[in-house]
Amino acid sequence: MNEGYLKILDSIASDSPTPGGGSVAALTLAHAHALAAMVANLTLKAEKWSEGHEIAKQILDNSQVCIDESIKLAKNDAQAFDAVIAAYRIPKDDSSNRTKSIREATIGAAIVPLETVQASLDLLDKILPFSSVCNANALTDLAAAGELSFSAAKIAQLNVRINIQYISGNDVDSIEKSTDNAIVKCEQSILELRSKCSKRLNW
């Protein structure tokens, strides 16, 4: 591990509230994309796994963009929560502006992890069919990418829920519904992925 990686871990471990769970969820998703890309590369290396070449190419074509987007989500999550903290620091005698700013910032802090949940589902949807045709020697790595994707979604869901817990409105209802629907699909996908991998590995 290089110093940059360790610096990120030190930043997470500090007494600052950011980067926190939402950022970690997005970084977890970045790791999932990286592992999926590795399996795609290993699949493309041998004609033996030619059945998986098409999906492998699709994963690789988007992997770097998806990794970059995941890292951006991690940064956005930290910035969104910093905005919430800033809103709470508005003087209480400016109550109208303070209340409006807190609500807007809180909505923003819920939208970013929702995007992480949706991005996690997108990756799971790619991993699932690939698990049947990828390089069998790297199947556990692909399974790990799936587990990381699912963990990223569940961690991000926690951050959505904590941010919308004390506010209401149609926008809040929409965020909650979108998150819950995506999580249900993530749960279905990870169960199917686990089953496929177990059967293919004869476990």
PDB file of all heavy atoms in Angstrom, residues 77-98:
ATOM      1  N   ASP A  77     -19.776  13.062  -0.834  1.00  0.00           N
ATOM      2  CA  ASP A  77     -20.430  12.736   0.430  1.00  0.00           C
ATOM      3  C   ASP A  77     -19.844  13.558   1.573  1.00  0.00           C
ATOM      4  O   ASP A  77     -20.581  14.091   2.409  1.00  0.00           O
ATOM      5  CB  ASP A  77     -20.287  11.239   0.732  1.00  0.00           C
ATOM      6  CG  ASP A  77     -21.149  10.824   1.915  1.00  0.00           C
ATOM      7  OD1 ASP A  77     -22.320  10.463   1.688  1.00  0.00           O
ATOM      8  OD2 ASP A  77     -20.659  10.887   3.060  1.00  0.00           O
ATOM      9  N   ALA A  78     -18.529  13.659   1.604  1.00  0.00           N
ATOM     10  CA  ALA A  78     -17.871  14.449   2.649  1.00  0.00           C
ATOM     11  C   ALA A  78     -18.275  15.918   2.532  1.00  0.00           C
ATOM     12  O   ALA A  78     -18.576  16.576   3.541  1.00  0.00           O
ATOM     13  CB  ALA A  78     -16.357  14.292   2.550  1.00  0.00           C
ATOM     14  N   GLN A  79     -18.299  16.430   1.318  1.00  0.00           N
ATOM     15  CA  GLN A  79     -18.672  17.822   1.101  1.00  0.00           C
ATOM     16  C   GLN A  79     -20.124  18.084   1.491  1.00  0.00           C
ATOM     17  O   GLN A  79     -20.451  19.132   2.059  1.00  0.00           O
ATOM     18  CB  GLN A  79     -18.435  18.203  -0.354  1.00  0.00           C
ATOM     19  CG  GLN A  79     -16.960  18.253  -0.736  1.00  0.00           C
ATOM     20  CD  GLN A  79     -16.738  18.393  -2.230  1.00  0.00           C
ATOM     21  OE1 GLN A  79     -17.698  18.402  -3.021  1.00  0.00           O
ATOM     22  NE2 GLN A  79     -15.480  18.498  -2.646  1.00  0.00           N
ATOM     23  N   ALA A  80     -20.984  17.114   1.207  1.00  0.00           N
ATOM     24  CA  ALA A  80     -22.402  17.266   1.526  1.00  0.00           C
ATOM     25  C   ALA A  80     -22.620  17.334   3.034  1.00  0.00           C
ATOM     26  O   ALA A  80     -23.417  18.142   3.525  1.00  0.00           O
ATOM     27  CB  ALA A  80     -23.205  16.111   0.933  1.00  0.00           C
ATOM     28  N   PHE A  81     -21.894  16.499   3.784  1.00  0.00           N
ATOM     29  CA  PHE A  81     -22.057  16.534   5.233  1.00  0.00           C
ATOM     30  C   PHE A  81     -21.425  17.795   5.820  1.00  0.00           C
ATOM     31  O   PHE A  81     -21.939  18.359   6.804  1.00  0.00           O
ATOM     32  CB  PHE A  81     -21.453  15.295   5.886  1.00  0.00           C
ATOM     33  CG  PHE A  81     -21.822  15.169   7.343  1.00  0.00           C
ATOM     34  CD1 PHE A  81     -23.107  14.802   7.714  1.00  0.00           C
ATOM     35  CD2 PHE A  81     -20.907  15.449   8.349  1.00  0.00           C
ATOM     36  CE1 PHE A  81     -23.470  14.706   9.055  1.00  0.00           C
ATOM     37  CE2 PHE A  81     -21.253  15.352   9.686  1.00  0.00           C
ATOM     38  CZ  PHE A  81     -22.543  14.979  10.038  1.00  0.00           C
ATOM     39  N   ASP A  82     -20.336  18.237   5.231  1.00  0.00           N
ATOM     40  CA  ASP A  82     -19.738  19.508   5.671  1.00  0.00           C
ATOM     41  C   ASP A  82     -20.731  20.649   5.493  1.00  0.00           C
ATOM     42  O   ASP A  82     -20.779  21.575   6.313  1.00  0.00           O
ATOM     43  CB  ASP A  82     -18.458  19.796   4.877  1.00  0.00           C
ATOM     44  CG  ASP A  82     -17.288  18.918   5.304  1.00  0.00           C
ATOM     45  OD1 ASP A  82     -17.333  18.353   6.417  1.00  0.00           O
ATOM     46  OD2 ASP A  82     -16.336  18.782   4.512  1.00  0.00           O
ATOM     47  N   ALA A  83     -21.539  20.576   4.437  1.00  0.00           N
ATOM     48  CA  ALA A  83     -22.552  21.599   4.185  1.00  0.00           C
ATOM     49  C   ALA A  83     -23.636  21.569   5.259  1.00  0.00           C
ATOM     50  O   ALA A  83     -24.163  22.614   5.661  1.00  0.00           O
ATOM     51  CB  ALA A  83     -23.175  21.401   2.807  1.00  0.00           C
ATOM     52  N   VAL A  84     -23.967  20.366   5.742  1.00  0.00           N
ATOM     53  CA  VAL A  84     -24.940  20.240   6.827  1.00  0.00           C
ATOM     54  C   VAL A  84     -24.400  20.902   8.092  1.00  0.00           C
ATOM     55  O   VAL A  84     -25.113  21.669   8.771  1.00  0.00           O
ATOM     56  CB  VAL A  84     -25.274  18.756   7.105  1.00  0.00           C
ATOM     57  CG1 VAL A  84     -26.156  18.635   8.345  1.00  0.00           C
ATOM     58  CG2 VAL A  84     -25.963  18.127   5.905  1.00  0.00           C
ATOM     59  N   ILE A  85     -23.163  20.629   8.413  1.00  0.00           N
ATOM     60  CA  ILE A  85     -22.534  21.227   9.586  1.00  0.00           C
ATOM     61  C   ILE A  85     -22.526  22.746   9.468  1.00  0.00           C
ATOM     62  O   ILE A  85     -22.834  23.467  10.431  1.00  0.00           O
ATOM     63  CB  ILE A  85     -21.097  20.685   9.757  1.00  0.00           C
ATOM     64  CG1 ILE A  85     -21.141  19.184  10.083  1.00  0.00           C
ATOM     65  CG2 ILE A  85     -20.370  21.443  10.861  1.00  0.00           C
ATOM     66  CD1 ILE A  85     -19.774  18.528  10.128  1.00  0.00           C
ATOM     67  N   ALA A  86     -22.194  23.251   8.277  1.00  0.00           N
ATOM     68  CA  ALA A  86     -22.159  24.694   8.048  1.00  0.00           C
ATOM     69  C   ALA A  86     -23.549  25.305   8.239  1.00  0.00           C
ATOM     70  O   ALA A  86     -23.685  26.407   8.797  1.00  0.00           O
ATOM     71  CB  ALA A  86     -21.641  24.986   6.648  1.00  0.00           C
ATOM     72  N   ALA A  87     -24.583  24.592   7.787  1.00  0.00           N
ATOM     73  CA  ALA A  87     -25.952  25.096   7.918  1.00  0.00           C
ATOM     74  C   ALA A  87     -26.355  25.204   9.383  1.00  0.00           C
ATOM     75  O   ALA A  87     -27.016  26.170   9.793  1.00  0.00           O
ATOM     76  CB  ALA A  87     -26.917  24.188   7.170  1.00  0.00           C
ATOM     77  N   TYR A  88     -25.953  24.232  10.186  1.00  0.00           N
ATOM     78  CA  TYR A  88     -26.282  24.273  11.605  1.00  0.00           C
ATOM     79  C   TYR A  88     -25.540  25.389  12.344  1.00  0.00           C
ATOM     80  O   TYR A  88     -25.935  25.774  13.447  1.00  0.00           O
ATOM     81  CB  TYR A  88     -25.977  22.927  12.264  1.00  0.00           C
ATOM     82  CG  TYR A  88     -27.128  21.949  12.182  1.00  0.00           C
ATOM     83  CD1 TYR A  88     -27.154  20.948  11.214  1.00  0.00           C
ATOM     84  CD2 TYR A  88     -28.200  22.037  13.071  1.00  0.00           C
ATOM     85  CE1 TYR A  88     -28.214  20.050  11.134  1.00  0.00           C
ATOM     86  CE2 TYR A  88     -29.264  21.148  13.004  1.00  0.00           C
ATOM     87  CZ  TYR A  88     -29.265  20.165  12.030  1.00  0.00           C
ATOM     88  OH  TYR A  88     -30.333  19.282  11.954  1.00  0.00           O
ATOM     89  N   ARG A  89     -24.501  25.914  11.739  1.00  0.00           N
ATOM     90  CA  ARG A  89     -23.730  26.992  12.359  1.00  0.00           C
ATOM     91  C   ARG A  89     -24.295  28.377  12.049  1.00  0.00           C
ATOM     92  O   ARG A  89     -23.808  29.375  12.576  1.00  0.00           O
ATOM     93  CB  ARG A  89     -22.274  26.898  11.912  1.00  0.00           C
ATOM     94  CG  ARG A  89     -21.530  25.728  12.555  1.00  0.00           C
ATOM     95  CD  ARG A  89     -20.131  25.576  12.009  1.00  0.00           C
ATOM     96  NE  ARG A  89     -19.418  24.491  12.676  1.00  0.00           N
ATOM     97  CZ  ARG A  89     -18.305  23.920  12.219  1.00  0.00           C
ATOM     98  NH1 ARG A  89     -17.764  24.340  11.074  1.00  0.00           N
ATOM     99  NH2 ARG A  89     -17.734  22.936  12.881  1.00  0.00           N
ATOM    100  N   ILE A  90     -25.311  28.421  11.178  1.00  0.00           N
ATOM    101  CA  ILE A  90     -25.970  29.697  10.904  1.00  0.00           C
ATOM    102  C   ILE A  90     -26.632  30.172  12.200  1.00  0.00           C
ATOM    103  O   ILE A  90     -27.301  29.385  12.880  1.00  0.00           O
ATOM    104  CB  ILE A  90     -27.023  29.547   9.786  1.00  0.00           C
ATOM    105  CG1 ILE A  90     -26.332  29.174   8.468  1.00  0.00           C
ATOM    106  CG2 ILE A  90     -27.841  30.825   9.633  1.00  0.00           C
ATOM    107  CD1 ILE A  90     -27.290  28.856   7.345  1.00  0.00           C
ATOM    108  N   PRO A  91     -26.461  31.431  12.565  1.00  0.00           N
ATOM    109  CA  PRO A  91     -27.037  31.936  13.829  1.00  0.00           C
ATOM    110  C   PRO A  91     -28.531  31.650  13.946  1.00  0.00           C
ATOM    111  O   PRO A  91     -29.272  31.767  12.968  1.00  0.00           O
ATOM    112  CB  PRO A  91     -26.766  33.441  13.742  1.00  0.00           C
ATOM    113  CG  PRO A  91     -25.557  33.559  12.870  1.00  0.00           C
ATOM    114  CD  PRO A  91     -25.703  32.461  11.850  1.00  0.00           C
ATOM    115  N   LYS A  92     -28.953  31.278  15.127  1.00  0.00           N
ATOM    116  CA  LYS A  92     -30.356  30.915  15.340  1.00  0.00           C
ATOM    117  C   LYS A  92     -31.295  32.106  15.208  1.00  0.00           C
ATOM    118  O   LYS A  92     -32.506  31.926  15.007  1.00  0.00           O
ATOM    119  CB  LYS A  92     -30.522  30.274  16.716  1.00  0.00           C
ATOM    120  CG  LYS A  92     -29.861  28.897  16.815  1.00  0.00           C
ATOM    121  CD  LYS A  92     -30.121  28.249  18.157  1.00  0.00           C
ATOM    122  CE  LYS A  92     -29.485  26.854  18.206  1.00  0.00           C
ATOM    123  NZ  LYS A  92     -29.718  26.181  19.506  1.00  0.00           N
ATOM    124  N   ASP A  93     -30.765  33.325  15.340  1.00  0.00           N
ATOM    125  CA  ASP A  93     -31.639  34.489  15.174  1.00  0.00           C
ATOM    126  C   ASP A  93     -32.006  34.724  13.700  1.00  0.00           C
ATOM    127  O   ASP A  93     -32.889  35.520  13.391  1.00  0.00           O
ATOM    128  CB  ASP A  93     -31.004  35.753  15.771  1.00  0.00           C
ATOM    129  CG  ASP A  93     -29.620  36.044  15.201  1.00  0.00           C
ATOM    130  OD1 ASP A  93     -29.222  35.383  14.230  1.00  0.00           O
ATOM    131  OD2 ASP A  93     -28.944  36.946  15.733  1.00  0.00           O
ATOM    132  N   ASP A  94     -31.323  34.017  12.802  1.00  0.00           N
ATOM    133  CA  ASP A  94     -31.674  34.030  11.381  1.00  0.00           C
ATOM    134  C   ASP A  94     -32.419  32.730  11.090  1.00  0.00           C
ATOM    135  O   ASP A  94     -32.027  31.930  10.234  1.00  0.00           O
ATOM    136  CB  ASP A  94     -30.395  34.141  10.540  1.00  0.00           C
ATOM    137  CG  ASP A  94     -30.674  34.364   9.059  1.00  0.00           C
ATOM    138  OD1 ASP A  94     -31.856  34.538   8.699  1.00  0.00           O
ATOM    139  OD2 ASP A  94     -29.709  34.329   8.264  1.00  0.00           O
ATOM    140  N   SER A  95     -33.502  32.522  11.818  1.00  0.00           N
ATOM    141  CA  SER A  95     -34.176  31.222  11.840  1.00  0.00           C
ATOM    142  C   SER A  95     -34.690  30.759  10.484  1.00  0.00           C
ATOM    143  O   SER A  95     -34.582  29.582  10.139  1.00  0.00           O
ATOM    144  CB  SER A  95     -35.335  31.244  12.850  1.00  0.00           C
ATOM    145  OG  SER A  95     -36.282  32.231  12.482  1.00  0.00           O
ATOM    146  N   SER A  96     -35.261  31.671   9.694  1.00  0.00           N
ATOM    147  CA  SER A  96     -35.827  31.281   8.405  1.00  0.00           C
ATOM    148  C   SER A  96     -34.743  30.754   7.465  1.00  0.00           C
ATOM    149  O   SER A  96     -34.886  29.680   6.865  1.00  0.00           O
ATOM    150  CB  SER A  96     -36.537  32.474   7.763  1.00  0.00           C
ATOM    151  OG  SER A  96     -37.048  32.113   6.497  1.00  0.00           O
ATOM    152  N   ASN A  97     -33.654  31.495   7.362  1.00  0.00           N
ATOM    153  CA  ASN A  97     -32.543  31.081   6.502  1.00  0.00           C
ATOM    154  C   ASN A  97     -31.884  29.825   7.038  1.00  0.00           C
ATOM    155  O   ASN A  97     -31.509  28.932   6.271  1.00  0.00           O
ATOM    156  CB  ASN A  97     -31.516  32.218   6.406  1.00  0.00           C
ATOM    157  CG  ASN A  97     -30.341  31.849   5.529  1.00  0.00           C
ATOM    158  OD1 ASN A  97     -30.488  31.274   4.461  1.00  0.00           O
ATOM    159  ND2 ASN A  97     -29.145  32.165   6.007  1.00  0.00           N
ATOM    160  N   ARG A  98     -31.768  29.745   8.376  1.00  0.00           N
ATOM    161  CA  ARG A  98     -31.131  28.587   8.997  1.00  0.00           C
ATOM    162  C   ARG A  98     -31.931  27.313   8.731  1.00  0.00           C
ATOM    163  O   ARG A  98     -31.380  26.285   8.334  1.00  0.00           O
ATOM    164  CB  ARG A  98     -30.987  28.817  10.498  1.00  0.00           C
ATOM    165  CG  ARG A  98     -30.211  27.719  11.234  1.00  0.00           C
ATOM    166  CD  ARG A  98     -29.999  28.126  12.692  1.00  0.00           C
ATOM    167  NE  ARG A  98     -29.126  27.201  13.379  1.00  0.00           N
ATOM    168  CZ  ARG A  98     -29.542  26.123  14.038  1.00  0.00           C
ATOM    169  NH1 ARG A  98     -30.845  25.837  14.088  1.00  0.00           N
ATOM    170  NH2 ARG A  98     -28.677  25.329  14.638  1.00  0.00           N
TER     171      ARG A  98
END
